[in-house]
Amino acid sequence: MVAVILLLFSIAVYSVSARYRQEEFYDRLKSKAQTTCRLLVKVKGIDKDLLRTIDMNTLTEMLDEKVLIFNTKDELVYSSVDDKLITYHKELLGQVRQNKEIEFLQDQSETIGLLYEEGDEPLVVLASAYDKFGRNKLENLLQTLAWGLIGGIGLTVALGIYFASNSLKPISAINSQVSKITANNLAQKLDEGNRKDEIAQLAINFNTVLGRLNKAFEQQKSFVSHASHELRTPLAALKSEIQLGQRFAKNDPNLEEVFANLFSDTERLISITNNLLFLARSIENMGNMKFTPVRVEDLAFMAKEEILSSFPNYAVFIDYVNIPDNENDTIIEGNEELLKRVLLNLIDNACKYSSNNTARILFETNETDCIIKITDEGIGINKEDIPYLFDPFYRSSHTSEVPGFGIGLSICQRIVDLHHGSIAVQSEPGKGSEFKVTLKHV
């Protein structure tokens, strides 16, 4: 926009200057033509050679100046030069008599035609000259405007970049701070600067929204935590009552089936409640959890023993993809109980959704990360289900026959996020799945 404005300004200045030069030069030609005619007509006894000498030595002489005077018979009665005459024809002289004054350009020279009527007969005067001085000034003006345009655009761009970068720095700072805010640190606030300008108001409003979101999250976590905690006691009592009732119903098959169904449903409710309570408390205590060096192989063996004690029919194999070069490559900073919970959930899913109830744990390391892969040869996961797999209570449509609540993978992702790692899945229906947990090693 600035370039267009400067360009239009330069064009306007040059056009006005060129027009002024032309008009001023035509005025000089007109004055010269009238003076020559006046001397020729009014000064008695003036010789044409003398008049030519006067024209050549006048202070107002112009470059390549020529003056021609014609009578009514279109005869040349005076010429200021012997050569380089103005190209003319009778139609031109007739046009001058008709219009009394015309201006035109001939061979880069300005030419004017006048009808002089102060003598005994009207005379036609053609005066021509080349405005070298005016054209040089115009060329200098053009160069000045061109360099001024280039310099102005360059300076505008440089200053624009400088001021734009300075004015956008607060916004860049806000973007940087916003990118670091997650569901785990909603209490973090943006820098509000001077609290007066528009950017400061934006930061203040954003902090207000963050405060409301944080409050809503805290209320939700508090509700889930308290509700889960309050449900555990009556559910435990209900489970005890059902177990007691099963003792008195051993001789009645119908009652045994009823109590068995009640016991199964109660176990499901207790499992859901425990998972919800664990999820709520893990989020609530994120900032207070203690991280210690943990060796992932030891975690895997502990998780294997724990899950096999609950499900003896499961089979779990542990191996390395590559043997670590350094023994510290499999040690990470983390919370042992939480990381063991991740392995338990993933191993349980791998065995539960496999016809052979088998899971394989593979360890792989590189310069920065320790990678844990849990693979199975189970039913697999549909491609359209993978993006929603870690959402709470989400279950694939083809897993409805397998018992579960859809909470375990959500808990795994929360725990891995807490350890600044990542969890991903690759799966093909009918061929099995591979869950990959990537964590930074020490």
Side-chain angles (χ1 to χ4, degrees), residues 146-161:
W147 284 111
L149 178 64
I150 295 172
I153 293 174
L155 184 62
T156 301
V157 170
L159 292 176
I161 293 173

Side-chain angles (χ1 to χ4, degrees), residues 119-267:
D120 297 333
E121 62 175 330
L123 302 175
V124 174
V125 186
L126 297 180
S128 174
Y130 180 76
D131 188 11
K132 181 179 180 181
F133 179 71
R135 290 180 182 272
N136 286 341
K137 286 203 303 182
L138 202 60
E139 186 177 349
N140 290 335
L141 176 63
L142 180 62
Q143 293 179 358
T144 302
L145 290 174
W147 284 111
L149 178 64
I150 295 172
I153 293 174
L155 184 62
T156 301
V157 170
L159 292 176
I161 293 173
Y162 173 75
F163 286 112
S165 61
N166 283 344
S167 61
L168 292 176
K169 278 183 180 178
I171 298 178
S172 299
I174 289 178
N175 285 333
S176 176
Q177 295 174 42
V178 169
S179 64
K180 297 176 183 177
I181 297 176
T182 64
N184 303 328
N185 61 344
L186 287 174
Q188 182 176 332
K189 300 296 182 183
L190 302 182
D191 183 12
E192 296 178 355
N194 57 14
R195 298 182 61 86
K196 294 179 180 179
D197 57 30
E198 289 78 3
I199 296 177
Q201 289 299 318
L202 175 64
I204 292 171
N205 292 335
F206 198 90
N207 285 338
T208 303
V209 173
L210 282 178
R212 293 171 183 168
L213 283 175
N214 189 41
K215 185 177 179 181
F217 271 77
E218 291 297 330
Q219 289 175 345
Q220 182 188 30
K221 289 187 290 185
S222 177
F223 170 77
V224 173
S225 178
H226 284 85
S228 302
H229 180 73
E230 293 298 325
L231 284 171
R232 292 182 70 185
T233 301
L235 286 175
L238 180 61
K239 179 179 178 180
S240 300
E241 293 292 335
I242 292 172
Q243 289 174 328
L244 182 62
Q246 284 179 318
R247 294 182 181 180
F248 296 101
K250 288 183 178 180
N251 299 325
D252 189 337
N254 293 328
L255 283 177
E256 282 185 357
E257 183 180 357
V258 171
F259 277 109
N261 290 336
L262 287 173
F263 184 80
S264 175
D265 291 338
T266 304
E267 282 288 301

